[in-house]
Amino acid sequence: MTFDAADFGVPTSMAEAAQTPPQGTAFSVTKHPVYLLWGLAAAARPNAEDVLAGQVGTGARVANLRIKVRSRWNDLLVTALTAGLITPRTVTFEGIVVPPATAP
């Protein structure tokens, strides 16, 4: 899977300066994409743009976005039982929603 912060549709940063951590509301969203034929074709992909748009309001941005792609034990079980014809994954999007700056 390839993710590009420029294609998310909302202002997003993958890392902020450690001296000034972002202030906002943390979120975590998990999606379960499914691949077919040993991972060659995607039946359902996680759409990062939709996930982030659902978290961010007008003028807000996402800071410290982390995307974890992994196979959990139940994903591996389905893959083994179907001999790889169905290959599920677990994708978790984590970050901080930073509200827009207010003018004094």
Side-chain angles (χ1 to χ4, degrees):
M1 293 181 169
T2 303
F3 298 101
D4 184 2
D7 295 335
F8 288 151
V10 297
T12 305
S13 69
M14 302 297 242
E16 295 283 325
Q19 296 84 5
T20 57
Q23 300 296 317
T25 306
F27 72 91
S28 178
V29 177
T30 301
K31 296 290 182 178
H32 301 281
V34 176
Y35 295 91
L36 304 173
L37 304 172
W38 308 278
L40 297 175
R45 290 181 187 236
N47 190 340
E49 185 175 327
D50 290 343
V51 170
L52 297 178
Q55 299 299 315
V56 176
T58 305
R61 66 184 181 90
V62 175
N64 290 350
L65 179 65
R66 292 189 310 168
I67 303 171
K68 298 178 188 175
V69 180
R70 61 186 181 272
S71 294
R72 291 186 159 170
W73 70 270
N74 52 348
D75 298 335
L76 295 173
L77 179 63
V78 170
T79 301
L81 290 174
T82 63
L85 293 175
I86 299 173
T87 307
R89 294 282 183 258
T90 300
V91 180
T92 304
F93 299 89
E94 297 175 340
I96 300 173
V97 176
V98 178
T102 56

